[in-house]
Amino acid sequence: MNGPVKQENNREENFIKWYEVPSKEQAIAISGRLRLARNLRGFPFENRMSNDQKLALSAKIAETMKSEEFEALGLKNMGFEKMEAYSRGALVEQHLVSPEFAQNGRYSALFSTADNSLSVMANEEDHIRIQALLPGIELEKGLEAVNAADNIFDAKLAYAFDEKLGFLTECPTNLGTGLRASVMLHLPMLESSGVLPRISGNISKLGLTIRGTYGEGTKAKGSFYQISNQVTLGISEENAVKNLKAMVSQIIFQERALRDGIKGRSLEDKICRAYGILTNARLLSGDELMETLSLIRLGLDCRYISDISYVTLNRLAFTMGGANISAVAGRELSGDERDFMRAKAVRETLLNAGGN
Amino acid sequence: MNGPVKQENNREENFIKWYEVPSKEQAIAISGRLRLARNLRGFPFENRMSNDQKLALSAKIAETMKSEEFEALGLKNMGFEKMEAYSRGALVEQHLVSPEFAQNGRYSALFSTADNSLSVMANEEDHIRIQALLPGIELEKGLEAVNAADNIFDAKLAYAFDEKLGFLTECPTNLGTGLRASVMLHLPMLESSGVLPRISGNISKLGLTIRGTYGEGTKAKGSFYQISNQVTLGISEENAVKNLKAMVSQIIFQERALRDGIKGRSLEDKICRAYGILTNARLLSGDELMETLSLIRLGLDCRYISDISYVTLNRLAFTMGGANISAVAGRELSGDERDFMRAKAVRETLLNAGGN
C-alpha cells in the first residue's frame, strides 16, 4: 500500500494534488479513475427526488461521514454547496466532478481528501458516488481506495442491492458492480496515423470504449483519449480493472512503437515552436494550451525537451482552465483576462521549471 | 566627417559591416543607398558590348583603381568574377549588388570597402556604378562618399558627358546626375492601416516612388519599403537627396504617430510569439524570418522586447538569406539544410543577445 493514493493522504498540508505525483508510464498514461455508483434504500432515484429530498439525503450522508473511519481516509466536506460557480467549475476542469454535478451544486455535497485522490459525491447521478483519481495506470490502488470507502458506507447505511442484479443504479448501464474504471492516455501518434478507429472497434468487442476528452465522437483536444469499461454486470470489479489495464498496456505499447519511428527535424521543430509559444505568448486560450502541451509532452518523451517534468505538464493541464484561473483571481474573469493570466502563469511555470 | 561611412573604413579588421552600426532613426529607417551611374567614352553601352569588350573594360577600370587615391577610400577588388554563385548571391542578399549583376559575375568586377559602405561596380547596367550604403537616413554622408570616388574617376578617365543632358547612361531614366538615392523603411503600421497607396500617389508627384523590398507592386516582405528619387534631370544631386530625406522624415513621423496609438496586449502577444518562434524553431524559412524580424523590430520600438539591439536585427536581416547560409557552410545547401542552419544561427544570435 505505497501507491499514490495513500501517499498523498499524508501530504495534505502541502496541497499536492494526485496529478502532481510521478507515476509509471506517465509519458503516455495521464490518469486513472475508479468510480462506484451506490444508492440508498428508502430514497427514490435522483431524477425522481425533490430538492428538499436531495437536501435531506445530503445531510444524511454528511452525518454518516462524520465518523472516525471516514476521517481516517482523509475525507472532508468541501462545502461544495456554498462554492462560487467558478470554484465548482475549477473542480470540473480538474476532473474531480462532472459538469452536471457542478451545475446542481446547491443540492449536492462533495467530500474529498486534500489531494483529491479519493472523493465522495452526494446527489450525483446516484445517491452516492465514490471516486478515486490517480496518476498513471495503477488502477488497483484506486480500486482499493474506493472499496475502503464503500465498505464503511455498507456498514452504516442500507444500500439498494439486489441478489441477481447487484447494486441498483439510476442508469441501467451501471447496474451490477456500479464500477466505472477509466484511463486517460496521450495518443498523438496513434491519432495521426489514423488507427484509432480500428482500435476503437476492437476494444468495444471486449466491453471497453475509447473517446476524446470532451465526449464521444469528438476529436480529442491535444490527443488525450479516455479508455473505460462499459460492462458492469457479470464481471467482478477486479476482472474489469484487470481487462482495462491489459488493453491500456497494449495501446501504450502501440503508441510507443510509433513514437520510436517518427523522430526528425520537422517534429522537433513543431515541438520546439510549441515551447516557444508557451514561454512567450501574452494571450493563450485553453484550447491552444492543450494543443501545445500535447506537443511538449511528446517532446519530453522524444527528448527534444528537457528540464520540464511530467508533473509540471500535469499541473498545467489540470489547473489552467478558465474556471481555475478565475478561482485563483477570486472573481469571474472575462475571456481576455483569462487568456492573459493563463499565458502569464504558464510562462512563469515553464521558465521556472528550466529551459529546453 | 564622423558619419558611419568614414567610421567603418577604419574598422576593416573587425569585418563590421555598414548595417552593423547604430544610427539615427534606426527604429524605422533601416538603410540608405546612393548610387551614381557613369559611362566611359570610347566604349559602347553595356547592352551593345561583347564579353571580350566587357573584360577589357573591367581590366581598364581595375587598373585605374590601383591608385593611392582609391586605396585611401579603402576600395579593394573583391575578386567577384571568381566567386562561387552562392557567394555572389550572398552579396545580393546583403543588398550590395543586384541579382542581374551577380548573374553576369564572370564579366564584371566589384570593388568595395571592408564594411561595404562604399563600392564600385564595373559592367553593371552602366560601365561604372559607384554606390554608398549606410544605416539610417544620413544620406548626405553617402553622397559625400560617392562624390569622392566619382571625382577620382573623373580625373583619370573620360566620362561620357553632354553639356545639356549631363552624364549619359544606358537607361534614359538615369540621364543627368545619374544619381539614384533611396531609403529602406520599416512601415508595418502604415501598411496595416492601408494608407500606403495614398502616400505613394502623393510622393510620385514630387518625383519620388515607394515600393516593396522585392520590386514594385509586390507586398513588401516584413513591411520593408524602399523610397527613392525618380528624377535625375534638372535637379542637383544635393537637392534630390534633400527632397528625398524631407519626404522620408515625414513618412517616419506618420509611422511613429500610428505606433504610439496601437500598443496593447494583442500586439504584445504577436510580437512575443515571434520572439518565441525565432528562439525555438528548428526550421526557419527566409520569408518567415523576415516576417518575424519585422515584428521583433516593432516590438523593440514599442518596448515589448528588450536586450536586443537594432544592429542585431540588421545583422539577421542581411546575413540569413539562403546564399549567405550556403556561403558560411562553403557549399550549396538544400532548402531544408538552409532552414535548419538559419534557425540555428538565428536562435544562437538572439539567445546570446539576451532574452526578452
Side-chain angles (χ1 to χ4, degrees), chain B residues 56-109:
Chain B
L57 179 65
S58 255
K60 184 185 174 76
I61 293 169
E63 192 56 35
T64 305
M65 292 187 70
K66 283 183 190 156
S67 76
E68 272 180 27
E69 295 101 313
F70 280 115
E71 268 171 32
L73 293 181
L75 288 166
K76 286 186 182 158
N77 195 327
M78 306 289 283
F80 194 68
E81 66 284 3
K82 297 185 294 274
M83 279 184 187
E84 296 284 350
Y86 54 72
S87 295
R88 291 202 294 262
L91 300 181
V92 173
E93 290 168 357
Q94 290 176 33
H95 295 225
L96 183 60
V97 301
S98 69
E100 297 73 25
F101 185 72
Q103 210 150 21
N104 299 321
R106 271 195 66 199
Y107 307 100
S108 307

Tab-separated table of all heavy atoms in Angstrom, chain B residues 56-109:
chain	number	residue	atom	x	y	z
B	56	ALA	N	37.707	43.735	-71.233
B	56	ALA	CA	38.677	44.817	-71.457
B	56	ALA	C	38.326	46.025	-70.586
B	56	ALA	O	39.205	46.651	-69.968
B	56	ALA	CB	38.688	45.200	-72.944
B	57	LEU	N	37.026	46.338	-70.530
B	57	LEU	CA	36.583	47.477	-69.723
B	57	LEU	C	36.854	47.226	-68.232
B	57	LEU	O	37.369	48.090	-67.515
B	57	LEU	CB	35.087	47.734	-69.959
B	57	LEU	CG	34.473	48.883	-69.148
B	57	LEU	CD1	35.096	50.225	-69.557
B	57	LEU	CD2	32.964	48.945	-69.313
B	58	SER	N	36.504	46.027	-67.780
B	58	SER	CA	36.774	45.625	-66.387
B	58	SER	C	38.242	45.833	-66.052
B	58	SER	O	38.593	46.398	-65.010
B	58	SER	CB	36.445	44.137	-66.192
B	58	SER	OG	35.254	43.979	-65.488
B	59	ALA	N	39.091	45.354	-66.955
B	59	ALA	CA	40.538	45.436	-66.724
B	59	ALA	C	40.982	46.893	-66.640
B	59	ALA	O	41.794	47.271	-65.787
B	59	ALA	CB	41.289	44.709	-67.842
B	60	LYS	N	40.422	47.714	-67.522
B	60	LYS	CA	40.784	49.139	-67.539
B	60	LYS	C	40.386	49.809	-66.220
B	60	LYS	O	41.158	50.574	-65.629
B	60	LYS	CB	40.066	49.820	-68.717
B	60	LYS	CG	40.428	51.300	-68.916
B	60	LYS	CD	39.560	51.895	-70.017
B	60	LYS	CE	39.763	53.400	-70.154
B	60	LYS	NZ	41.025	53.758	-70.831
B	61	ILE	N	39.197	49.494	-65.764
B	61	ILE	CA	38.721	50.111	-64.516
B	61	ILE	C	39.539	49.606	-63.330
B	61	ILE	O	39.951	50.382	-62.458
B	61	ILE	CB	37.204	49.826	-64.324
B	61	ILE	CG1	36.406	50.568	-65.403
B	61	ILE	CG2	36.740	50.259	-62.929
B	61	ILE	CD1	34.941	50.167	-65.503
B	62	ALA	N	39.817	48.309	-63.318
B	62	ALA	CA	40.621	47.737	-62.233
B	62	ALA	C	41.997	48.392	-62.196
B	62	ALA	O	42.525	48.709	-61.118
B	62	ALA	CB	40.753	46.226	-62.415
B	63	GLU	N	42.553	48.590	-63.366
B	63	GLU	CA	43.880	49.217	-63.474
B	63	GLU	C	43.829	50.650	-62.912
B	63	GLU	O	44.683	51.053	-62.130
B	63	GLU	CB	44.309	49.222	-64.956
B	63	GLU	CG	45.769	49.564	-65.191
B	63	GLU	CD	46.717	48.639	-64.440
B	63	GLU	OE1	46.392	47.433	-64.312
B	63	GLU	OE2	47.758	49.136	-63.936
B	64	THR	N	42.773	51.358	-63.323
B	64	THR	CA	42.597	52.738	-62.863
B	64	THR	C	42.490	52.810	-61.339
B	64	THR	O	42.967	53.750	-60.702
B	64	THR	CB	41.300	53.336	-63.479
B	64	THR	OG1	41.367	53.206	-64.888
B	64	THR	CG2	41.127	54.790	-63.085
B	65	MET	N	41.872	51.782	-60.765
B	65	MET	CA	41.626	51.814	-59.325
B	65	MET	C	42.843	51.416	-58.507
B	65	MET	O	42.828	51.526	-57.276
B	65	MET	CB	40.416	50.945	-58.979
B	65	MET	CG	39.125	51.579	-59.545
B	65	MET	SD	37.647	50.727	-59.023
B	65	MET	CE	37.619	51.173	-57.288
B	66	LYS	N	43.863	50.911	-59.188
B	66	LYS	CA	45.123	50.664	-58.476
B	66	LYS	C	45.840	51.992	-58.288
B	66	LYS	O	46.831	52.275	-58.977
B	66	LYS	CB	46.011	49.709	-59.279
B	66	LYS	CG	45.568	48.254	-59.186
B	66	LYS	CD	46.534	47.354	-59.952
B	66	LYS	CE	45.999	45.940	-60.082
B	66	LYS	NZ	46.586	45.231	-61.247
B	67	SER	N	45.351	52.799	-57.407
B	67	SER	CA	45.953	54.121	-57.201
B	67	SER	C	45.837	54.501	-55.736
B	67	SER	O	44.961	53.989	-55.022
B	67	SER	CB	45.231	55.162	-58.066
B	67	SER	OG	43.989	55.488	-57.479
B	68	GLU	N	46.716	55.365	-55.314
B	68	GLU	CA	46.704	55.818	-53.918
B	68	GLU	C	45.360	56.413	-53.529
B	68	GLU	O	44.861	56.186	-52.430
B	68	GLU	CB	47.797	56.882	-53.705
B	68	GLU	CG	49.131	56.290	-53.338
B	68	GLU	CD	50.174	57.380	-53.131
B	68	GLU	OE1	49.778	58.515	-52.772
B	68	GLU	OE2	51.361	57.087	-53.336
B	69	GLU	N	44.767	57.174	-54.457
B	69	GLU	CA	43.512	57.850	-54.115
B	69	GLU	C	42.406	56.844	-53.786
B	69	GLU	O	41.670	56.999	-52.803
B	69	GLU	CB	43.048	58.741	-55.281
B	69	GLU	CG	43.977	59.901	-55.585
B	69	GLU	CD	44.854	59.596	-56.796
B	69	GLU	OE1	45.417	58.475	-56.839
B	69	GLU	OE2	44.956	60.449	-57.677
B	70	PHE	N	42.268	55.815	-54.643
B	70	PHE	CA	41.226	54.810	-54.377
B	70	PHE	C	41.570	53.986	-53.133
B	70	PHE	O	40.694	53.608	-52.356
B	70	PHE	CB	41.012	53.914	-55.600
B	70	PHE	CG	40.140	54.551	-56.649
B	70	PHE	CD1	40.637	54.880	-57.905
B	70	PHE	CD2	38.799	54.834	-56.381
B	70	PHE	CE1	39.831	55.471	-58.869
B	70	PHE	CE2	37.987	55.423	-57.343
B	70	PHE	CZ	38.504	55.758	-58.596
B	71	GLU	N	42.854	53.694	-52.973
B	71	GLU	CA	43.263	52.955	-51.776
B	71	GLU	C	42.923	53.733	-50.504
B	71	GLU	O	42.526	53.156	-49.495
B	71	GLU	CB	44.762	52.639	-51.817
B	71	GLU	CG	45.032	51.276	-52.455
B	71	GLU	CD	46.503	51.026	-52.718
B	71	GLU	OE1	47.337	51.536	-51.936
B	71	GLU	OE2	46.805	50.348	-53.712
B	72	ALA	N	43.073	55.075	-50.588
B	72	ALA	CA	42.754	55.912	-49.427
B	72	ALA	C	41.272	55.784	-49.049
B	72	ALA	O	40.895	55.914	-47.883
B	72	ALA	CB	43.105	57.369	-49.710
B	73	LEU	N	40.420	55.513	-50.032
B	73	LEU	CA	38.989	55.309	-49.752
B	73	LEU	C	38.706	53.903	-49.215
B	73	LEU	O	37.595	53.613	-48.778
B	73	LEU	CB	38.162	55.539	-51.023
B	73	LEU	CG	38.109	56.968	-51.574
B	73	LEU	CD1	37.222	57.017	-52.816
B	73	LEU	CD2	37.590	57.944	-50.525
B	74	GLY	N	39.718	53.045	-49.285
B	74	GLY	CA	39.539	51.682	-48.762
B	74	GLY	C	38.946	50.719	-49.774
B	74	GLY	O	38.517	49.613	-49.417
B	75	LEU	N	38.893	51.116	-51.046
B	75	LEU	CA	38.275	50.262	-52.069
B	75	LEU	C	39.236	49.170	-52.530
B	75	LEU	O	40.354	49.460	-52.962
B	75	LEU	CB	37.836	51.120	-53.264
B	75	LEU	CG	36.614	52.001	-52.993
B	75	LEU	CD1	36.461	53.060	-54.081
B	75	LEU	CD2	35.349	51.148	-52.903
B	76	LYS	N	38.804	47.949	-52.453
B	76	LYS	CA	39.642	46.816	-52.873
B	76	LYS	C	38.878	45.916	-53.829
B	76	LYS	O	37.658	45.755	-53.706
B	76	LYS	CB	40.061	46.002	-51.647
B	76	LYS	CG	41.125	46.709	-50.837
B	76	LYS	CD	41.645	45.851	-49.710
B	76	LYS	CE	42.673	46.640	-48.906
B	76	LYS	NZ	42.842	46.114	-47.548
B	77	ASN	N	39.604	45.310	-54.760
B	77	ASN	CA	38.990	44.372	-55.698
B	77	ASN	C	38.539	43.109	-54.951
B	77	ASN	O	39.324	42.467	-54.255
B	77	ASN	CB	40.001	44.000	-56.797
B	77	ASN	CG	39.306	43.325	-57.972
B	77	ASN	OD1	38.328	42.606	-57.807
B	77	ASN	ND2	39.817	43.592	-59.178
B	78	MET	N	37.254	42.776	-55.069
B	78	MET	CA	36.689	41.658	-54.301
B	78	MET	C	36.823	40.318	-55.017
B	78	MET	O	36.368	39.290	-54.503
B	78	MET	CB	35.193	41.920	-54.044
B	78	MET	CG	34.898	43.246	-53.384
B	78	MET	SD	35.440	43.264	-51.650
B	78	MET	CE	34.123	42.307	-50.893
B	79	GLY	N	37.390	40.315	-56.222
B	79	GLY	CA	37.502	39.051	-56.968
B	79	GLY	C	36.143	38.470	-57.318
B	79	GLY	O	35.934	37.257	-57.338
B	80	PHE	N	35.211	39.368	-57.612
B	80	PHE	CA	33.816	38.975	-57.857
B	80	PHE	C	33.703	37.949	-58.978
B	80	PHE	O	32.903	37.010	-58.910
B	80	PHE	CB	33.025	40.238	-58.216
B	80	PHE	CG	31.536	40.078	-58.177
B	80	PHE	CD1	30.878	39.884	-56.973
B	80	PHE	CD2	30.770	40.139	-59.334
B	80	PHE	CE1	29.497	39.755	-56.922
B	80	PHE	CE2	29.388	40.011	-59.298
B	80	PHE	CZ	28.758	39.817	-58.086
B	81	GLU	N	34.526	38.138	-60.030
B	81	GLU	CA	34.421	37.286	-61.222
B	81	GLU	C	34.815	35.840	-60.929
B	81	GLU	O	34.477	34.924	-61.675
B	81	GLU	CB	35.275	37.870	-62.363
B	81	GLU	CG	36.784	37.883	-62.126
B	81	GLU	CD	37.255	38.977	-61.160
B	81	GLU	OE1	36.405	39.715	-60.621
B	81	GLU	OE2	38.481	39.076	-60.944
B	82	LYS	N	35.522	35.614	-59.818
B	82	LYS	CA	35.947	34.237	-59.496
B	82	LYS	C	35.098	33.617	-58.375
B	82	LYS	O	35.317	32.477	-57.979
B	82	LYS	CB	37.424	34.246	-59.050
B	82	LYS	CG	38.394	34.711	-60.130
B	82	LYS	CD	39.845	34.589	-59.702
B	82	LYS	CE	40.210	35.513	-58.554
B	82	LYS	NZ	40.609	36.883	-58.999
B	83	MET	N	34.152	34.376	-57.861
B	83	MET	CA	33.359	33.881	-56.721
B	83	MET	C	32.406	32.769	-57.125
B	83	MET	O	31.911	32.718	-58.234
B	83	MET	CB	32.509	35.023	-56.133
B	83	MET	CG	33.244	35.946	-55.204
B	83	MET	SD	32.055	37.151	-54.512
B	83	MET	CE	33.197	38.235	-53.653
B	84	GLU	N	32.105	31.875	-56.141
B	84	GLU	CA	31.049	30.876	-56.314
B	84	GLU	C	29.704	31.599	-56.438
B	84	GLU	O	29.535	32.707	-55.918
B	84	GLU	CB	30.974	29.959	-55.080
B	84	GLU	CG	32.203	29.122	-54.822
B	84	GLU	CD	32.311	27.934	-55.779
B	84	GLU	OE1	31.329	27.670	-56.502
B	84	GLU	OE2	33.377	27.297	-55.806
B	85	ALA	N	28.759	30.935	-57.096
B	85	ALA	CA	27.434	31.547	-57.282
B	85	ALA	C	26.809	31.926	-55.935
B	85	ALA	O	26.211	32.987	-55.786
B	85	ALA	CB	26.514	30.590	-58.034
B	86	TYR	N	26.960	31.047	-54.917
B	86	TYR	CA	26.321	31.362	-53.636
B	86	TYR	C	26.989	32.543	-52.932
B	86	TYR	O	26.347	33.284	-52.209
B	86	TYR	CB	26.239	30.136	-52.714
B	86	TYR	CG	27.544	29.420	-52.440
B	86	TYR	CD1	28.514	29.969	-51.626
B	86	TYR	CD2	27.786	28.172	-53.004
B	86	TYR	CE1	29.704	29.309	-51.379
B	86	TYR	CE2	28.967	27.498	-52.764
B	86	TYR	CZ	29.931	28.069	-51.944
B	86	TYR	OH	31.099	27.420	-51.699
B	87	SER	N	28.297	32.745	-53.190
B	87	SER	CA	28.961	33.901	-52.577
B	87	SER	C	28.483	35.196	-53.222
B	87	SER	O	28.288	36.208	-52.544
B	87	SER	CB	30.482	33.778	-52.722
B	87	SER	OG	30.935	32.654	-51.988
B	88	ARG	N	28.289	35.157	-54.549
B	88	ARG	CA	27.730	36.346	-55.206
B	88	ARG	C	26.304	36.564	-54.724
B	88	ARG	O	25.886	37.694	-54.469
B	88	ARG	CB	27.776	36.170	-56.731
B	88	ARG	CG	29.195	36.188	-57.294
B	88	ARG	CD	29.215	36.557	-58.786
B	88	ARG	NE	28.571	35.553	-59.625
B	88	ARG	CZ	29.217	34.593	-60.297
B	88	ARG	NH1	30.538	34.509	-60.233
B	88	ARG	NH2	28.571	33.755	-61.041
B	89	GLY	N	25.548	35.447	-54.575
B	89	GLY	CA	24.173	35.544	-54.074
B	89	GLY	C	24.124	36.147	-52.677
B	89	GLY	O	23.203	36.891	-52.331
B	90	ALA	N	25.138	35.817	-51.875
B	90	ALA	CA	25.195	36.359	-50.511
B	90	ALA	C	25.294	37.881	-50.555
B	90	ALA	O	24.682	38.584	-49.738
B	90	ALA	CB	26.375	35.764	-49.753
B	91	LEU	N	26.036	38.406	-51.535
B	91	LEU	CA	26.173	39.862	-51.658
B	91	LEU	C	24.867	40.501	-52.150
B	91	LEU	O	24.550	41.636	-51.796
B	91	LEU	CB	27.335	40.205	-52.585
B	91	LEU	CG	28.701	39.681	-52.112
B	91	LEU	CD1	29.807	40.098	-53.086
B	91	LEU	CD2	29.028	40.166	-50.700
B	92	VAL	N	24.105	39.753	-52.961
B	92	VAL	CA	22.775	40.241	-53.371
B	92	VAL	C	21.897	40.374	-52.129
B	92	VAL	O	21.251	41.396	-51.907
B	92	VAL	CB	22.105	39.262	-54.372
B	92	VAL	CG1	20.657	39.692	-54.643
B	92	VAL	CG2	22.902	39.189	-55.666
B	93	GLU	N	21.912	39.335	-51.291
B	93	GLU	CA	21.071	39.346	-50.090
B	93	GLU	C	21.476	40.462	-49.128
B	93	GLU	O	20.663	40.962	-48.362
B	93	GLU	CB	21.149	37.983	-49.391
B	93	GLU	CG	20.443	36.884	-50.187
B	93	GLU	CD	20.740	35.483	-49.669
B	93	GLU	OE1	21.545	35.350	-48.722
B	93	GLU	OE2	20.177	34.539	-50.212
B	94	GLN	N	22.746	40.848	-49.190
B	94	GLN	CA	23.200	41.952	-48.337
B	94	GLN	C	22.968	43.311	-49.011
B	94	GLN	O	23.454	44.334	-48.541
B	94	GLN	CB	24.674	41.764	-47.985
B	94	GLN	CG	24.906	40.593	-47.037
B	94	GLN	CD	26.376	40.344	-46.751
B	94	GLN	OE1	27.168	41.269	-46.708
B	94	GLN	NE2	26.731	39.082	-46.560
B	95	HIS	N	22.277	43.278	-50.152
B	95	HIS	CA	21.908	44.494	-50.890
B	95	HIS	C	23.122	45.214	-51.477
B	95	HIS	O	23.044	46.389	-51.819
B	95	HIS	CB	21.091	45.451	-50.008
B	95	HIS	CG	19.762	44.890	-49.613
B	95	HIS	ND1	18.595	45.608	-49.668
B	95	HIS	CD2	19.408	43.663	-49.175
B	95	HIS	CE1	17.588	44.847	-49.259
B	95	HIS	NE2	18.068	43.660	-48.954
B	96	LEU	N	24.265	44.547	-51.553
B	96	LEU	CA	25.461	45.183	-52.103
B	96	LEU	C	25.393	45.233	-53.622
B	96	LEU	O	25.769	46.231	-54.233
B	96	LEU	CB	26.714	44.418	-51.647
B	96	LEU	CG	28.054	45.010	-52.074
B	96	LEU	CD1	28.233	46.421	-51.524
B	96	LEU	CD2	29.214	44.123	-51.597
B	97	VAL	N	24.910	44.150	-54.230
B	97	VAL	CA	24.794	44.113	-55.692
B	97	VAL	C	23.408	43.632	-56.090
B	97	VAL	O	22.686	43.032	-55.287
B	97	VAL	CB	25.858	43.176	-56.326
B	97	VAL	CG1	27.266	43.626	-55.962
B	97	VAL	CG2	25.633	41.729	-55.899
B	98	SER	N	23.041	43.893	-57.358
B	98	SER	CA	21.739	43.463	-57.856
B	98	SER	C	21.809	42.005	-58.312
B	98	SER	O	22.891	41.491	-58.608
B	98	SER	CB	21.322	44.344	-59.036
B	98	SER	OG	22.164	44.074	-60.144
B	99	PRO	N	20.658	41.341	-58.375
B	99	PRO	CA	20.644	39.950	-58.855
B	99	PRO	C	21.228	39.832	-60.271
B	99	PRO	O	21.938	38.879	-60.575
B	99	PRO	CB	19.159	39.581	-58.849
B	99	PRO	CG	18.524	40.527	-57.880
B	99	PRO	CD	19.325	41.789	-57.949
B	100	GLU	N	20.927	40.816	-61.135
B	100	GLU	CA	21.410	40.765	-62.511
B	100	GLU	C	22.940	40.857	-62.544
B	100	GLU	O	23.601	40.148	-63.299
B	100	GLU	CB	20.821	41.922	-63.340
B	100	GLU	CG	19.299	41.889	-63.470
B	100	GLU	CD	18.573	42.281	-62.187
B	100	GLU	OE1	19.146	43.018	-61.356
B	100	GLU	OE2	17.419	41.827	-62.007
B	101	PHE	N	23.474	41.744	-61.736
B	101	PHE	CA	24.922	41.913	-61.681
B	101	PHE	C	25.588	40.617	-61.186
B	101	PHE	O	26.627	40.187	-61.709
B	101	PHE	CB	25.271	43.078	-60.741
B	101	PHE	CG	26.737	43.421	-60.700
B	101	PHE	CD1	27.358	44.046	-61.779
B	101	PHE	CD2	27.504	43.129	-59.581
B	101	PHE	CE1	28.709	44.367	-61.738
B	101	PHE	CE2	28.855	43.449	-59.528
B	101	PHE	CZ	29.461	44.073	-60.604
B	102	ALA	N	24.959	39.967	-60.215
B	102	ALA	CA	25.518	38.718	-59.676
B	102	ALA	C	25.525	37.632	-60.743
B	102	ALA	O	26.467	36.849	-60.859
B	102	ALA	CB	24.713	38.265	-58.460
B	103	GLN	N	24.470	37.631	-61.575
B	103	GLN	CA	24.351	36.602	-62.604
B	103	GLN	C	25.426	36.753	-63.686
B	103	GLN	O	25.914	35.763	-64.221
B	103	GLN	CB	22.962	36.705	-63.241
B	103	GLN	CG	22.436	35.379	-63.734
B	103	GLN	CD	20.925	35.337	-63.652
B	103	GLN	OE1	20.266	36.385	-63.601
B	103	GLN	NE2	20.362	34.137	-63.632
B	104	ASN	N	25.774	37.992	-64.001
B	104	ASN	CA	26.800	38.240	-65.016
B	104	ASN	C	28.178	38.385	-64.388
B	104	ASN	O	29.051	39.082	-64.923
B	104	ASN	CB	26.452	39.513	-65.804
B	104	ASN	CG	25.110	39.359	-66.506
B	104	ASN	OD1	24.798	38.287	-67.019
B	104	ASN	ND2	24.321	40.417	-66.505
B	105	GLY	N	28.343	37.734	-63.255
B	105	GLY	CA	29.551	37.898	-62.459
B	105	GLY	C	30.856	37.694	-63.226
B	105	GLY	O	31.828	38.401	-62.986
B	106	ARG	N	30.899	36.761	-64.159
B	106	ARG	CA	32.156	36.428	-64.841
B	106	ARG	C	32.739	37.603	-65.612
B	106	ARG	O	33.941	37.674	-65.833
B	106	ARG	CB	31.939	35.265	-65.815
B	106	ARG	CG	32.151	33.910	-65.168
B	106	ARG	CD	32.281	32.835	-66.224
B	106	ARG	NE	33.483	32.985	-67.054
B	106	ARG	CZ	33.644	32.416	-68.242
B	106	ARG	NH1	32.697	31.668	-68.752
B	106	ARG	NH2	34.767	32.592	-68.925
B	107	TYR	N	31.878	38.505	-66.067
B	107	TYR	CA	32.349	39.636	-66.880
B	107	TYR	C	32.266	40.952	-66.124
B	107	TYR	O	32.278	42.015	-66.718
B	107	TYR	CB	31.538	39.697	-68.183
B	107	TYR	CG	31.560	38.379	-68.906
B	107	TYR	CD1	30.498	37.503	-68.825
B	107	TYR	CD2	32.707	37.998	-69.625
B	107	TYR	CE1	30.538	36.269	-69.453
B	107	TYR	CE2	32.758	36.763	-70.257
B	107	TYR	CZ	31.678	35.900	-70.168
B	107	TYR	OH	31.735	34.684	-70.786
B	108	SER	N	32.165	40.842	-64.821
B	108	SER	CA	32.017	42.053	-64.013
B	108	SER	C	33.168	42.154	-63.030
B	108	SER	O	33.973	41.232	-62.903
B	108	SER	CB	30.704	41.995	-63.229
B	108	SER	OG	29.622	41.749	-64.093
B	109	ALA	N	33.223	43.290	-62.349
B	109	ALA	CA	34.201	43.436	-61.271
B	109	ALA	C	33.559	44.247	-60.167
B	109	ALA	O	32.706	45.111	-60.425
B	109	ALA	CB	35.465	44.124	-61.767
